[in-house]
Amino acid sequence: MKIKRLYIKDFGIFREQQLKDLSPGVIVIGGPNRAGKTTLLHVLRYLWYGFPPGGNLPPATRRYEVEVDITDGSEEFNLYLEGYAKPKLTCNGSTGKKISHEELFRLDAFTYHRLFTVSLDELRNIPAGVDDTERLQSILLGAGLGEIVMIPQLEEELNKRAHDIGRTRGNPRYGSFTPYYRQIEEGIKLRQKALNQINEYEEKKRELELISNQISTLEEKTIPELEDKYIVLDVLKNNYLNYQEKERLRLQLDRSDIQDLLRNFPAARVERVKNIQERYHQALEDYNYRLDRFRQVVTGEKIEEIKDTFLQHRDEFRQYTHLLSGLRERVNNYFIRLGEHRDQRNEIYMEMKQVNSAWDDFEVLKEIRTDWLEQDTLNRNIVNCIELQKEQRDLSREIEKLEVEKELLERQLATGVNEPEADLRNYFILSILFALVGAGLSLFNVVAGLIIGLAGIIGTAFFLWKRSISAHSQRQDREQLRRKLEDVLTSLDFNKKELEKTGKRLSPLETQLQGYRRLLGVDDNVSPEMVRVIFSRVRDLKEKLYRWEQQEQEQERNGQELDQELKRIEQLLQQFTEIIDNRVLSDFSNRDLIEERIRAGEKLLVLLEEFCKYCELAVELDDKEHRVREIEKEIYRLLEVEDESEDLTEELKLFLTKGEDYRRYKELEERCELLELQISSKLGTERVRKALKNLFAEKNDDFNDERMSVLFAEFYSHYTSLEDVENDYRETEKRLHELKKELEGLKGEQLSLQEKLEELATTKKLEEAQRKIDEARAEIKPLAEKYAVYRVATFILGQVRTRFMNRARDTLLDQASKVLKKMTGGEYVRILAPDNLLEADFQALLHDGRKQGTVNILSRGTREQLFLAIRVSRLREIEPPLPVIVDDSLVNFDRYHLDNTVEILLDLARTHQLFILTCHPHLVECIAGKKNRETQYWKLEEGNFTLSTGEELIRVLSK
């Protein structure tokens, strides 16, 4: 079972939050503390079963409201929760399959909350809020243990039932056996007493026979005859006045004229006549009202002719009624467009003057060719001209630059260079001079003279050596300047030739461009770019002029069509010259220009609107007249009047007067029949019928209602007034009461004698005693059988439970052991069930064979890993695979165990949709590192969900 969409309208911190297109695998929802993760846990935890009242849930603003779309792989469903009501499940598929949420999920809430919701609390021996630890242990272990858990309860229940029947040992004196045991004892005592009793049975028997005969006489003859008379008197007393009124009404209604009216008058037509009378008066009133209105419009004696003329042209007037607003709009649009058309011409003319003030006629524009081919030719001419002019300028600048460079090189070459022979000569002269100076000084100081002489000679030699090197370098530079000057002269000659070629190519282009300048009427000095701009504006003006001419033609067509329509209206109105203002028609027909006729047509439309209303009035008048005639024909048929000259109003009044008489007599007849029915209903009861038949000694079995009425009439005739009936009724009632009292006394004596005879009847008491004994034995036998069954069943259940526990203990946790081994990296290899499977504890086996006897000695992280492994193995066994919620339950796992656990959870996500709620970035980082394609990340901040990525969620949680 996968959740595709989760919509939380109102729950705790969440308002109008929706998670769409949820992954069928892993959904990581991360957020800081107090972002709403615990609230989301409550939503997911109670989603399938409804929100429990008083469950410490976060409050809603108005009422809880959550909706999800889920799928089981073949069908899609919608689950809706509102308030504390049960979930409403609807199938979205085309099959229309109906299924309740209990049938779809097939899992109780306790199991889902303790297995599929994995929080830190669930990874404890006994989570908070769990009182039934045996049930918790049974769902953790599975394998039928849930049913075995019920065996001790069954054993206790069967023991209790057996104890209620016969206590511990089944003694018949105790428990449910007690009343039957006492009944058997009483029967034995009664039987012994009957055997010892002697009586006067025969004497009492004769006395009882005499009293029984007296009772029989009273019950079978005296009292029944008196009761029959009492019953008939009671009916007569209560219905005497009604019977008397019935006889009076019957006498009145037997008149021949009344009977003829009741038999022959068509009463069914009265309501129709009333209805048609009202309709006739209303139709006459409507007709006269519209006739008066029409006469206000049409005066004279030709009113019928004018009305007929309107009726002949009703279709045209009705058509114009719908088209009138459109015609007015067309007239308005005609003049609006006429003004716009003139404004557009003026704008085009002004633009033309801006292009060339010498142009006064649009024909100048039309003569200039501005098609695409001509524009392309001009553009290419201008582009080529501009390029050649640019090339010409570039060549001129290059020639000027080369000329300057040539002059500079020539001046540099004119400068002289030092000769090596002159330097050598100068060296000898200076050497002799320094030698003489040194010799002179040596006369005074030999050392100083020697030093100065040698230093001068050496310095002079060094200076001249450097000077020779510099002269060599200058000669090399001079050679380079000569070569460069040759290159400059070559380039200068080439550029001059290219400049001459460019001038020859540019000349015809400038000639063509000059032709365009004359064509456009501009000065010869206008630049090529400006020529192109002016040409483009001329082309745009020609396009506007062309569109304007098309609009002018369209305007002329619209004017002609509108003029034709107005002429048809004028011809229609000419039919009513007797009642029309001819000035409007004359003003229209006397105009020569279409524009003037259309302007005069506005008044024509006003007149048309009035005549459309007159036409509708004529149509309504004609309809009302036909309606009156139709109703009159209906009245003739209804009243069956042959002479149509009769006053129908009087005929209707006469018919309704007879109808009123018929109604009055019919009410009297119905009153008479009602009285007869009431009396017949009183007489029709079986009690009264039997009393009348007995009272008049009727032996005939065919005692029908008519005969009964005759007998009652005869009984009625014996009394002259209601007072006589009431006196006889009281006397009969008194006598009947006395006889019944006498009968009760005789029955009392009879009962006493019967009781005495029963006491004296020894055989009957013996039979009664034996009956009590047998009944008690019959009742105590099935109780004894039940007691034996309960005891045997208790023994068998104990044996079954013991054998199952011994057989299942070694295999229950095989899958959970494999999960724990993978989770701990082989450190723990097996989970062992406790000796008592129903104790909330487990044992763990280390890889070296050591056994941890209880989970309480494990570290917190290892204990949580053990309970998580048990839950993961159980989740794989349970169908259907409902979504699993993991709420920060891995916080105590180190990085190594966390990595192993995440792999196990991702493997579980292949069959189960997995929601992981966390505020720890390292958990998200570990999940993201697995690169599972079906992992989806959501960011939760202050009750708002945002679809995210693993990297973004890690960054948010790391702040």
Side-chain angles (χ1 to χ4, degrees):
M1 197 70 60
K2 315 289 186 182
I3 299 175
K4 298 181 68 177
R5 181 182 69 93
L6 173 62
Y7 172 63
I8 309 174
K9 183 175 182 180
D10 190 356
F11 191 97
I13 194 175
F14 298 123
R15 302 288 182 276
E16 305 288 347
Q17 292 299 307
Q18 181 167 242
L19 286 78
K20 294 171 40 178
D21 300 325
L22 290 174
S23 169
V26 181
I27 298 140
V28 180
I29 299 176
N33 292 327
R34 294 184 295 280
K37 296 190 300 300
T38 304
T39 303
L40 178 62
L41 174 67
H42 286 306
V43 172
L44 296 173
R45 187 173 193 174
Y46 294 104
L47 187 64
W48 317 104
Y49 307 95
F51 302 121
N56 294 325
L57 299 179
T61 302
R62 185 167 174 263
R63 66 174 178 273
Y64 297 131
E65 193 168 356
V66 177
E67 182 181 2
V68 291
D69 292 336
I70 57 177
T71 178
D72 62 356
S74 59
E75 292 281 354
E76 290 190 3
F77 303 89
N78 177 267
L79 189 71
Y80 178 71
L81 291 91
E82 183 175 13
Y84 298 110
K86 290 184 177 180
K88 297 178 182 177
L89 187 67
T90 306
C91 180
N92 295 335
S94 59
T95 61
K97 180 171 66 176
K98 294 183 178 179
I99 186 172
S100 65
H101 71 281
E102 293 91 346
E103 294 174 326
L104 184 63
F105 306 139
R106 306 195 304 274
L107 200 66
D108 62 278
F110 181 86
T111 301
Y112 183 78
H113 292 167
R114 296 307 168 188
L115 282 183
F116 288 79
T117 306
V118 184
S119 64
L120 280 175
D121 190 51
E122 266 64 46
L123 302 184
R124 296 167 52 195
N125 294 30
I126 304 176
V130 176
D131 297 327
D132 193 347
T133 57
E134 291 187 353
R135 185 180 180 189
L136 174 63
Q137 188 74 351
S138 69
I139 66 171
L140 289 178
L141 295 178
L145 192 62
E147 289 74 15
I148 296 300
V149 169
M150 301 301 297
I151 289 180
Q153 299 177 14
L154 291 175
E155 288 183 89
E156 183 180 353
E157 180 65 22
L158 292 174
N159 268 324
K160 182 178 181 301
R161 292 184 182 182
H163 186 270
D164 291 342
I165 294 174
R167 297 297 183 266
T168 305
R169 298 183 179 181
N171 193 321
R173 293 178 178 271
Y174 307 107
S176 300
F177 293 141
T178 301
Y180 306 110
Y181 182 80
R182 290 177 180 174
Q183 185 176 341
I184 292 172
E185 286 184 335
E186 290 175 1
I188 294 172
K189 291 179 181 178
L190 182 61
R191 184 175 60 184
Q192 186 63 36
K193 183 178 179 182
L195 293 174
N196 299 327
Q197 186 176 3
I198 302 174
N199 60 69
E200 300 171 353
Y201 182 77
E202 290 297 330
E203 183 180 352
K204 297 296 181 183
K205 187 175 181 182
R206 289 192 298 273
E207 204 175 318
L208 177 62
E209 185 176 354
L210 178 62
I211 292 175
S212 297
N213 289 334
Q214 294 177 359
I215 291 173
S216 178
T217 301
L218 288 173
E219 287 184 337
E220 296 177 5
K221 184 178 181 182
T222 307
I223 291 179
E225 290 177 355
L226 203 58
E227 283 181 338
D228 290 337
K229 182 180 179 182
Y230 178 77
I231 291 170
V232 177
L233 280 170
D234 182 61
V235 174
L236 181 60
K237 175 177 72 70
N238 293 326
N239 297 276
Y240 187 85
L241 296 178
N242 290 341
Y243 196 86
Q244 194 176 47
E245 182 184 1
K246 189 263 296 183
E247 291 296 318
R248 177 179 60 79
L249 292 175
R250 180 56 61 192
L251 182 64
Q252 179 182 359
L253 292 171
D254 284 343
R255 284 170 46 189
S256 59
D257 58 332
I258 296 176
Q259 287 298 316
D260 182 63
L261 181 64
L262 290 174
R263 282 195 301 271
N264 300 323
F265 183 76
R269 300 180 190 173
V270 172
E271 289 301 323
R272 292 176 59 193
V273 171
K274 287 181 180 180
N275 180 268
I276 206 168
Q277 182 188 41
E278 183 178 350
R279 287 161 48 212
Y280 185 55
H281 288 162
Q282 184 64 43
L284 284 175
E285 184 179 345
D286 292 344
Y287 172 74
N288 292 327
Y289 170 73
R290 283 165 177 79
L291 182 61
D292 292 340
R293 288 183 58 196
F294 196 70
R295 282 175 177 166
Q296 293 174 4
V297 176
V298 180
T299 58
E301 298 178 356
K302 295 183 178 181
I303 185 170
E304 286 297 327
E305 295 179 7
I306 295 174
K307 185 188 77 171
D308 292 339
T309 305
F310 271 118
L311 294 176
Q312 290 173 8
H313 298 282
R314 75 172 73 182
D315 293 337
E316 295 177 63
F317 279 113
R318 285 180 175 173
Q319 183 179 7
Y320 280 122
T321 300
H322 295 96
L323 298 177
L324 194 58
S325 61
L327 285 172
R328 284 191 174 127
E329 188 67 23
R330 287 173 63 187
V331 170
N332 292 335
N333 288 339
Y334 174 80
F335 289 110
I336 291 173
R337 290 175 182 172
L338 189 64
E340 291 175 350
H341 188 65
R342 290 170 179 169
D343 293 342
Q344 288 176 359
R345 184 189 181 284
N346 293 334
E347 289 177 2
I348 295 173
Y349 183 79
M350 293 302 295
E351 287 185 24
M352 182 183 70
K353 297 295 284 182
Q354 289 176 1
V355 172
N356 195 326
S357 60
W359 292 345
D360 292 325
D361 192 355
F362 290 144
E363 294 301 322
V364 178
L365 287 176
K366 294 179 181 179
E367 291 175 357
I368 299 175
R369 284 187 59 190
T370 57
D371 54 38
W372 288 108
L373 182 60
E374 192 69 25
Q375 185 174 9
D376 182 63
T377 302
L378 175 62
N379 288 337
R380 283 189 287 106
N381 186 308
I382 291 173
V383 169
N384 293 334
C385 186
I386 291 173
E387 289 179 352
L388 290 174
Q389 287 177 350
K390 181 177 181 299
E391 185 177 350
Q392 195 177 46
R393 288 194 300 272
D394 292 343
L395 288 171
S396 297
R397 283 196 294 269
E398 184 66 21
I399 289 172
E400 292 177 0
K401 180 181 177 183
L402 291 173
E403 290 285 354
V404 172
E405 188 174 0
K406 185 190 75 166
E407 292 177 2
L408 179 62
L409 290 173
E410 287 176 348
R411 284 198 302 269
Q412 289 178 349
L413 286 172
T415 305
V417 180
N418 293 328
E419 294 298 333
E421 294 81 3
D423 289 339
L424 184 59
R425 186 173 54 253
N426 293 331
Y427 170 72
F428 283 117
I429 294 171
L430 290 174
S431 296
I432 294 172
L433 178 62
F434 277 104
L436 293 174
V437 171
L441 288 174
S442 64
L443 295 176
F444 302 98
N445 190 339
V446 177
V447 176
L450 183 60
I451 291 173
I452 291 173
L454 290 174
I457 293 170
I458 294 171
T460 300
F462 180 76
F463 171 76
L464 293 176
W465 175 73
K466 290 291 292 180
R467 183 177 177 84
S468 65
I469 291 175
S470 175
H472 179 71
S473 175
Q474 287 178 359
R475 283 191 296 273
Q476 289 179 343
D477 291 341
R478 192 175 182 83
E479 185 63 28
Q480 289 178 356
L481 288 174
R482 285 195 198 94
R483 288 195 295 271
K484 191 172 183 180
L485 179 60
E486 292 175 358
D487 293 338
V488 169
L489 291 174
T490 303
S491 298
L492 186 61
D493 184 59
F494 174 79
N495 287 334
K496 286 180 179 180
K497 292 179 180 178
E498 288 295 319
L499 180 62
E500 184 179 356
K501 292 178 182 178
T502 303
K504 292 179 180 180
R505 290 164 56 195
L506 182 61
S507 179
L509 295 177
E510 288 182 340
T511 302
Q512 292 179 10
L513 187 60
Q514 191 66 22
Y516 280 109
R517 290 190 181 100
R518 286 195 297 271
L519 179 65
L520 296 175
V522 298
D523 191 78
D524 294 344
N525 297 323
V526 173
S527 66
E529 278 296 333
M530 183 56 69
V531 172
R532 180 159 55 184
V533 170
I534 294 173
F535 187 87
S536 297
R537 290 197 62 183
V538 170
R539 187 174 182 278
D540 293 341
L541 279 172
K542 285 188 68 174
E543 290 180 359
K544 290 182 180 180
L545 182 62
Y546 175 72
R547 287 197 297 269
W548 177 82
E549 289 175 343
Q550 287 183 323
Q551 291 173 1
E552 185 179 32
Q553 294 174 3
E554 183 180 358
Q555 182 74 0
E556 289 177 358
R557 286 196 302 272
N558 292 339
Q560 292 171 358
E561 292 174 358
L562 191 56
D563 182 53
Q564 292 298 321
E565 191 68 38
L566 292 173
K567 286 181 179 179
R568 286 194 290 272
I569 293 172
E570 188 260 345
Q571 292 173 2
L572 175 62
L573 295 178
Q574 286 289 352
Q575 306 293 323
F576 304 93
T577 54
E578 293 86 351
I579 61 173
I580 202 167
D581 186 359
N582 289 325
R583 290 176 299 176
V584 177
L585 300 179
S586 300
D587 184 46
F588 175 81
S589 59
N590 292 334
R591 302 297 180 102
D592 294 330
L593 297 177
I594 291 178
E595 180 180 348
E596 294 178 352
R597 280 200 299 275
I598 293 174
R599 195 172 300 280
E602 293 179 346
K603 295 181 180 179
L604 199 65
L605 293 177
V606 173
L607 190 61
L608 175 65
E609 183 177 13
E610 293 180 4
F611 272 73
C612 287
K613 295 178 181 178
Y614 298 160
C615 181
E616 285 301 316
L617 187 58
V619 171
E620 290 178 6
L621 179 61
D622 186 64
D623 290 343
K624 296 303 178 182
E625 184 178 358
H626 281 85
R627 179 62 177 160
V628 170
R629 300 292 174 260
E630 288 174 359
I631 294 176
E632 287 178 346
K633 291 178 182 179
E634 189 176 351
I635 293 172
Y636 287 135
R637 290 194 301 272
L638 186 61
L639 299 183
E640 298 178 353
V641 177
E642 297 180 358
D643 186 3
E644 295 188 0
S645 64
E646 295 289 342
D647 186 356
L648 292 180
T649 304
E650 291 299 324
E651 289 293 329
L652 290 171
K653 288 181 180 179
L654 180 60
F655 183 86
L656 292 176
T657 301
K658 288 183 179 181
E660 187 62 28
D661 294 339
Y662 172 83
R663 182 193 61 77
R664 187 172 67 256
Y665 291 131
K666 192 64 179 178
E667 288 178 355
L668 293 177
E669 185 180 46
E670 291 174 353
R671 172 63 180 167
C672 184
E673 291 175 354
L674 177 62
L675 292 172
E676 288 179 350
L677 181 62
Q678 290 177 349
I679 295 170
S680 298
S681 65
K682 299 294 183 183
L683 298 176
T685 61
E686 186 62 28
R687 180 166 168 264
V688 177
R689 292 171 67 90
K690 184 177 179 182
L692 275 172
K693 189 175 181 181
N694 294 335
L695 192 62
F696 288 94
E698 285 285 329
K699 302 300 183 183
N700 187 5
D701 293 335
D702 188 16
F703 188 67
N704 54 27
D705 293 343
E706 184 178 356
R707 178 61 181 163
M708 183 179 63
S709 299
V710 171
L711 294 178
F712 188 75
E714 182 180 348
F715 189 79
Y716 165 80
S717 64
H718 293 161
Y719 301 91
T720 58
S721 65
L722 179 59
E723 186 178 358
D724 292 343
V725 176
E726 290 176 345
N727 290 335
D728 196 5
Y729 176 80
R730 286 193 293 271
E731 291 178 2
T732 303
E733 184 179 29
K734 181 179 179 184
R735 178 59 181 157
L736 186 60
H737 179 69
E738 291 173 353
L739 290 175
K740 286 184 177 180
K741 188 174 182 181
E742 180 182 350
L743 179 62
E744 288 178 2
L746 290 173
K747 285 184 176 181
E749 294 181 16
Q750 183 188 41
L751 183 60
S752 298
L753 288 172
Q754 287 175 345
E755 290 177 353
K756 189 66 177 175
L757 284 174
E758 288 177 359
E759 290 178 2
L760 297 175
T762 307
T763 303
K764 289 185 178 181
K765 288 189 175 182
L766 285 173
E767 292 174 355
E768 178 67 20
Q770 190 60 42
R771 183 185 63 78
K772 284 187 175 182
I773 294 170
D774 292 342
E775 287 179 354
R777 287 176 176 174
E779 293 291 338
I780 206 171
K781 181 179 179 181
L783 283 176
E785 291 176 351
K786 283 184 179 180
Y787 179 81
V789 169
Y790 291 152
R791 287 301 184 192
V792 171
T794 302
F795 175 76
I796 292 173
L797 287 173
Q799 293 296 315
V800 169
R801 178 168 173 267
T802 301
R803 291 179 182 179
F804 178 86
M805 293 290 193
N806 293 334
R807 187 171 59 253
R809 180 178 291 106
D810 296 332
T811 60
L812 278 175
L813 298 172
D814 285 349
Q815 293 301 320
S817 298
K818 293 178 181 178
V819 176
L820 181 62
K821 183 177 181 181
K822 182 177 180 180
M823 195 179 294
T824 61
E827 182 181 359
Y828 286 86
V829 296
R830 189 169 182 79
I831 304 174
L832 303 175
D835 294 335
N836 183 358
L837 292 179
L838 300 181
E839 290 181 359
D841 198 3
F842 295 93
Q843 299 175 354
L845 186 66
L846 289 160
H847 67 283
D848 57 2
R850 288 183 294 122
K851 182 168 67 175
Q852 307 288 354
T854 176
V855 296
N856 293 327
I857 65 175
L858 299 175
S859 66
R860 180 175 180 178
T862 305
R863 183 166 60 248
E864 291 174 355
Q865 291 161 17
L866 182 144
F867 280 106
L868 180 60
I870 293 172
R871 278 172 169 79
V872 169
S873 66
R874 284 290 290 129
L875 289 174
R876 291 171 175 168
E877 299 172 356
I878 295 176
E879 290 291 338
L882 295 176
V884 180
I885 304 102
V886 179
D887 180 29
D888 257 348
S889 53
L890 312 179
V891 295
N892 296 315
F893 294 12
D894 57 36
R895 191 56 184 254
Y896 174 73
H897 294 95
L898 178 63
D899 189 71
N900 294 338
T901 305
V902 167
E903 286 188 0
I904 293 170
L905 291 177
L906 292 179
D907 182 65
L908 178 65
R910 295 179 181 177
T911 55
H912 293 67
Q913 190 177 35
L914 186 62
F915 287 85
I916 299 179
L917 314 182
T918 183
C919 63
H920 297 92
H922 66 275
L923 175 58
V924 181
E925 184 179 356
C926 185
I927 295 172
K930 302 300 179 182
K931 299 188 182 301
N932 185 2
R933 289 185 297 177
E934 291 193 348
T935 301
Q936 190 180 65
Y937 300 90
W938 290 83
K939 181 172 61 177
L940 177 58
E941 293 180 320
E942 297 181 355
N944 295 306
F945 293 96
T946 307
L947 188 62
S948 181
T949 62
E951 294 77 6
E952 183 183 359
L953 191 57
I954 293 169
R955 187 171 59 256
V956 171
L957 297 180
S958 299
K959 293 181 180 178

